[in-house]
Amino acid sequence: MLTSVKVQETFNQDGEDLTKMLRGLPKLRGLKGFLEPYVTSMQITCNYTSSHSTTNSQNLPRLPVPKLKDTIEKYLLTVRPHLNDEEFAKTTTLVKDFLNGTGQKLQALLEKRSKEHLNWLEEWWLNTAYLEYRDPVVVFSSPGLAFPLEKFESQKNQLQYAAKTLLAALEYKSLIDNNQIPVEMMGKNPLDMQQYKKIFGTCRIPWEKRDKLSYNNDSKHVTIIHNNHIFHVDLWGDDNILLNEDQIVEQLSKVIKLSNTVNNEGIGILTSENRDRWAKAYQLLANDKINKTSLEDVQRSIVVLCLDAPVGLWKLKDPDARRTLAGAQLIHGNGSSSNGGNRWFDKTVQFVVGADGVTGLTYEHSPAEGQPIAVLMDFIVQYLAKNKNPGPRSSRPREPTHLKFNVSSDVGAMINTAKKNLDSLVNNLELNCFQYNKYGKNFIKEQKLSPDSYLQMAMQLAFYRLHKVPGAHYESAATRMYIGGRTETIRSCSIESVEFARTMLNANNSPKEKSAALKSAINSHKNYTVQALQGLGVDRHLLGLKLTAIENGIEIPKIYSDKAFTKSAHMRISTSQVASKCDGFMCYGPLVSDGYATCYNPRANDINFATSAFVDNPDTDCVKYRNALEQSLQDMHDVLLQSITSKL
Ligand code: COA
């Protein structure tokens, strides 16, 4: 006789799934009735996690809808650097018409929406910025997060590190589940902590037109990928005891033994495809029962752990070349002949532990911003440094399961296409990751300047130095002081930033003039930042008005096809501060074909930068951009000190 049965159904986002869940309950209850004579206990669990805020347990304020007039005024200031006088006059007329016409109607509808939703933007943003976006998540959306590099002496070392990483992640997850992560604050304002709850057990599922998210917070297993083979590994034994480090190492060793040759038909590479192509392959795969079970097994795991092949990390003498190599492995696995097939890019947290010391994670961006992930990295790095007691052994660990996939000839052809497509993506991404160690945020603070605004202005100067035109510039600001808040764009290119760049590059100007221009540009940036953090930027409001028009069958206003809009939103510099205590860094690809990405981690006495550009664009060059950035940081430092000396 069976003693206990646990029936668990996991449903993902949105109304239709909730309806499905409610419809499913009687079925499960019926099953319970049928089994009752045979079992002593049966538990029915339904996990339901919404992709958008349905409760407000932290009692946070709601994201405001900015006043239309304020947004329009701000918008005109941000587009000014990109237009000549005639173009600017035309734009001014256009936005005034909008303000007095359709804009009013759209604003009223948007305000109505904001009363009906806890966060008027959250669901729209998730769909338009992520789930409906059809380019591959690789390079275009998923960042890599490089942990401090390791030097493994043996395979055992690699597996011990991997086991500790999993145990640290579980400890972190338990803190999240038990609401023990301290609520983050911005000044006196508590920040929304929901994103933390969405990072473990989550997986994106490819779907035609709009992907789905599957949340599985109660999972007990992880997915291990080695040589492109995919395994299910239970972290708890049959006695319900968590495996200790040695036991996890044993499980990983078994996985390695079971997959000693590269699987050329590994389906993981399909997750690097364009989303519609992957969705087609997914449907073909899921028609087969065995495949469906394997796919769902990966989706439900807590995290993916990729045990990667060596990449020659320590053969590189230059520490920045090692960083760049690590960044590449974490963004795209360096293509089909390296570790690009040893991945499941749809998983929110995908740890990478490479045989010769590349360590970190690739994260699928849709459920969360970089910050909770960077906090996870610091937690893991601190955990690794401690010498923890091994803990009790489970007396009944389960054997790892090699997940089976039946690959039809159609899917086989899709795998081959995916390999070619990933390889072209890899070949087209130029990365340059480096540590700037002449100074860090301490020096900037000593000058009584905001480190973030200062670094943003260094990027403005670097771009202008190279291209001699203003560079539209995106920086993410967290709007987590609001329920369900994600980000707002800081438009870092301003009238003052361009004036600053021109002043700096003119040898006739004195250090005092240059320093004054720098401070004015920093003030302007800081001012925009403060507004963006309060949800009062330009971009999300304009997006909301446009989506309101689409949803209500109203013709999209002309301001969206105006040169001012297209130029100021063509973000040639795409940036994000992702701060961590440890010597790690985040990296990702540019937003536009002729742009640069710059992710940075400002630490007390150094700054980690990860920059990228597309190889096939003749206008951009990552090495030149890095040199221009370093030169700008040096020049800014010097003019600040010289201007003080000249005052004395
Ligand atoms: N004089 C001296 N010190 C100053 C200063 C000044 N004029 N201005 C700021 N500082 C100090 C601050 O007090 C702060 O001190 P701390 O290190 O003790 O905390 C430090 O300098 C850093 O402040 P600053 O550089 O101005 O801004 P920030 O670190 O708060 O960052 C944002 C600004 C916009 C990046 C941040 O608010 C944010 O939104 N981060 C999240 C971005 C994000 O979502 N990224 C992930 C996307 S995937």
Side-chain angles (χ1 to χ4, degrees):
M1 176 157 153
L2 291 168
T3 51
S4 169
V5 171
K6 187 171 174 188
V7 180
Q8 181 169 317
E9 274 292 327
T10 301
F11 295 87
N12 49 32
Q13 55 156 344
D14 301 334
E16 62 174 299
D17 294 307
L18 180 60
T19 320
K20 193 173 140 202
M21 177 180 96
L22 294 175
R23 262 194 269 119
L25 274 179
K27 206 170 78 196
L28 294 180
R29 293 215 177 92
L31 179 67
K32 184 173 188 253
F34 171 74
L35 286 173
E36 230 146 34
Y38 310 101
V39 298
T40 51
S41 96
M42 178 166 172
Q43 187 189 347
I44 298 179
T45 322
C46 278
N47 295 334
Y48 176 70
T49 315
S50 175
S51 61
H52 53 276
S53 304
T54 49
T55 53
N56 188 359
S57 55
Q58 283 181 256
N59 208 12
L60 296 170
R62 287 171 173 225
L63 180 72
V65 176
K67 290 201 177 89
L68 187 57
K69 191 166 164 285
D70 291 352
T71 296
I72 293 301
E73 277 169 13
K74 226 172 281 169
Y75 174 69
L76 281 175
L77 286 176
T78 66
V79 301
R80 187 66 189 98
H82 307 286
L83 303 176
N84 63 30
D85 291 349
E86 198 185 316
E87 289 164 342
F88 185 65
K90 189 179 152 243
T91 296
T92 309
T93 311
L94 206 60
V95 296
K96 280 197 178 140
D97 290 350
F98 176 70
L99 181 61
N100 300 320
T102 328
Q104 297 290 341
K105 190 173 171 186
L106 296 176
Q107 177 77 2
L109 287 166
L110 186 57
E111 283 170 5
K112 183 168 168 274
R113 178 183 168 92
S114 78
K115 295 197 177 79
E116 293 159 358
H117 291 72
L118 277 179
N119 182 315
W120 62 264
L121 179 63
E122 191 181 7
E123 196 182 349
W124 269 349
W125 182 251
L126 179 68
N127 289 336
T128 54
Y130 298 106
L131 302 181
E132 289 169 6
Y133 189 71
R134 302 289 83 193
D135 277 335
V137 292
V138 180
V139 174
F140 296 107
S141 169
S142 293
L145 181 63
F147 292 7
L149 297 176
E150 294 289 325
K151 206 171 197 173
F152 298 130
E153 304 295 338
S154 63
Q155 189 178 72
K156 189 158 182 220
N157 275 170
Q158 178 200 6
L159 300 189
Q160 281 166 333
Y161 181 102
K164 281 197 176 109
T165 301
L166 290 178
L167 286 171
L170 285 185
E171 206 167 295
Y172 186 72
K173 180 177 184 301
S174 151
L175 293 176
I176 295 171
D177 291 346
N178 295 307
N179 297 317
Q180 285 170 334
I181 299 272
V183 173
E184 290 166 6
M185 303 292 287
M186 195 172 61
K188 287 187 185 142
N189 301 308
L191 299 184
D192 186 350
M193 298 299 285
Q194 286 181 86
Q195 287 182 23
Y196 283 83
K197 301 235 176 207
K198 294 182 180 174
I199 58 179
F200 291 110
T202 306
C203 197
R204 185 163 164 162
I205 302 174
W207 218 257
E208 203 190 337
K209 295 200 173 93
R210 182 195 291 167
D211 290 355
K212 301 182 175 211
L213 280 175
S214 164
Y215 297 105
N216 310 279
N217 195 42
D218 288 344
S219 300
K220 298 277 186 197
H221 72 278
V222 289
T223 303
I224 310 291
I225 315 188
H226 177 249
N227 270 339
N228 308 349
H229 296 269
I230 305 177
F231 293 84
H232 166 119
V233 171
D234 283 302
L235 290 181
W236 278 262
D238 275 333
D239 51 5
N240 223 4
I241 292 182
L242 177 64
L243 309 195
N244 70 14
E245 184 189 317
D246 291 344
Q247 289 183 302
I248 298 178
V249 170
E250 283 160 26
Q251 299 289 322
L252 299 179
S253 304
K254 285 180 190 167
V255 161
I256 285 185
K257 271 200 195 111
L258 289 166
S259 53
N260 56 8
T261 54
V262 175
N263 176 11
N264 286 320
E265 284 196 333
I267 68 154
I269 196 120
L270 290 168
T271 63
S272 69
E273 260 287 18
N274 161 287
R275 303 307 296 176
D276 279 336
R277 272 200 293 273
W278 171 209
K280 255 188 207 143
Y282 182 92
Q283 290 305 331
L284 285 178
L285 279 165
N287 283 337
D288 176 295
K289 246 187 172 176
I290 291 178
N291 291 341
K292 191 165 186 282
T293 309
S294 298
L295 287 165
E296 286 175 358
D297 197 283
V298 178
Q299 286 156 15
R300 288 186 178 182
S301 65
I302 306 170
V303 292
V304 166
L305 166 69
C306 311
L307 294 171
D308 270 11
V311 290
L313 182 69
W314 293 100
K315 286 187 192 138
L316 298 171
K317 296 270 175 305
D318 174 12
D320 291 337
R322 292 198 288 264
R323 283 172 187 269
T324 303
L325 178 69
Q329 285 292 327
L330 294 161
I331 293 181
H332 50 50
N334 228 6
S336 62
S337 53
S338 181
N339 291 303
N342 206 47
R343 295 283 183 275
W344 198 269
F345 286 108
D346 289 352
K347 200 75 188 165
T348 306
V349 176
Q350 177 172 224
F351 291 115
V352 171
V353 180
D356 52 359
V358 171
T359 59
L361 60 83
T362 310
Y363 99 94
E364 200 290 299
H365 209 320
S366 45
E369 300 310 325
Q371 207 52 39
I373 310 282
V375 177
L376 166 65
M377 165 169 74
D378 275 333
F379 186 89
I380 292 173
V381 170
Q382 279 164 20
Y383 183 103
L384 287 161
K386 286 182 210 152
N387 247 338
K388 284 221 153 197
N389 284 335
R393 285 177 74 86
S394 160
S395 57
R396 279 181 288 150
R398 295 175 189 154
E399 288 299 304
T401 317
H402 194 163
L403 297 182
K404 298 268 173 302
F405 292 96
N406 292 324
V407 175
S408 65
S409 56
D410 283 349
V411 174
M414 287 165 156
I415 290 175
N416 287 336
T417 310
K419 286 181 188 172
K420 281 191 203 120
N421 289 342
L422 178 64
D423 292 344
S424 340
L425 260 186
V426 167
N427 293 334
N428 198 24
L429 187 74
E430 186 190 6
L431 263 183
N432 201 316
C433 306
F434 62 98
Q435 184 167 72
Y436 182 80
N437 52 20
K438 296 204 169 126
Y439 61 93
K441 62 178 177 177
N442 282 356
F443 166 77
I444 309 169
K445 284 193 205 173
E446 279 158 24
Q447 305 308 308
K448 308 224 171 341
L449 299 171
S450 148
D452 188 69
S453 299
Y454 179 99
L455 295 173
Q456 287 287 317
M457 291 309 104
M459 295 168 212
Q460 275 289 296
L461 176 54
F463 186 91
Y464 201 92
R465 192 188 285 276
L466 286 180
H467 299 284
K468 314 281 181 275
V469 288
H473 185 159
Y474 179 112
E475 182 191 1
S476 9
T479 50
R480 283 172 53 209
M481 63 185 264
Y482 300 111
I483 169 78
R486 300 245 353 210
T487 57
E488 170 62 278
T489 307
I490 302 168
R491 292 189 160 206
S492 293
C493 180
S494 62
I495 296 168
E496 292 82 0
S497 75
V498 177
E499 188 51 36
F500 153 64
R502 287 184 182 140
T503 308
M504 284 295 284
L505 296 171
N506 183 342
N508 296 326
N509 291 322
S510 68
K512 216 171 146 193
E513 285 165 321
K514 290 178 180 177
S515 152
L518 169 60
K519 287 177 183 167
S520 158
I522 287 178
N523 283 341
S524 163
H525 180 269
K526 191 71 200 172
N527 184 22
Y528 200 106
T529 301
V530 170
Q531 296 180 60
L533 290 169
Q534 296 174 69
L536 303 176
V538 159
D539 290 82
R540 302 297 180 269
H541 189 197
L542 288 182
L543 174 71
L545 294 170
K546 185 177 173 187
L547 293 174
T548 304
I550 294 170
E551 278 204 3
N552 290 280
I554 298 168
E555 193 183 339
I556 297 178
K558 287 201 180 66
I559 60 160
Y560 293 97
S561 45
D562 180 34
K563 200 170 187 178
F565 186 83
T566 47
K567 277 189 106 177
S568 67
H570 183 77
M571 298 295 185
R572 295 194 67 187
I573 322 170
S574 158
T575 70
S576 195
Q577 181 189 139
V578 178
S580 70
K581 293 193 183 82
C582 71
D583 183 12
F585 61 90
M586 190 168 270
C587 45
Y588 50 79
L591 264 184
V592 295
S593 59
D594 56 349
Y596 301 96
T598 315
C599 198
Y600 53 105
N601 177 7
R603 305 193 316 149
N605 297 308
D606 54 46
I607 306 151
N608 289 344
F609 285 103
T611 65
S612 67
F614 288 118
V615 174
D616 65 1
N617 191 287
D619 288 344
T620 52
D621 180 322
C622 232
V623 175
K624 285 189 186 157
Y625 177 66
R626 172 194 171 156
N627 291 341
L629 190 52
E630 289 187 309
Q631 187 63 56
S632 301
L633 288 166
Q634 183 67 52
D635 292 353
M636 287 159 69
H637 170 274
D638 294 351
V639 296
L640 283 171
L641 294 188
Q642 285 158 8
S643 66
I644 296 171
T645 329
S646 61
K647 256 191 242 162
L648 298 174

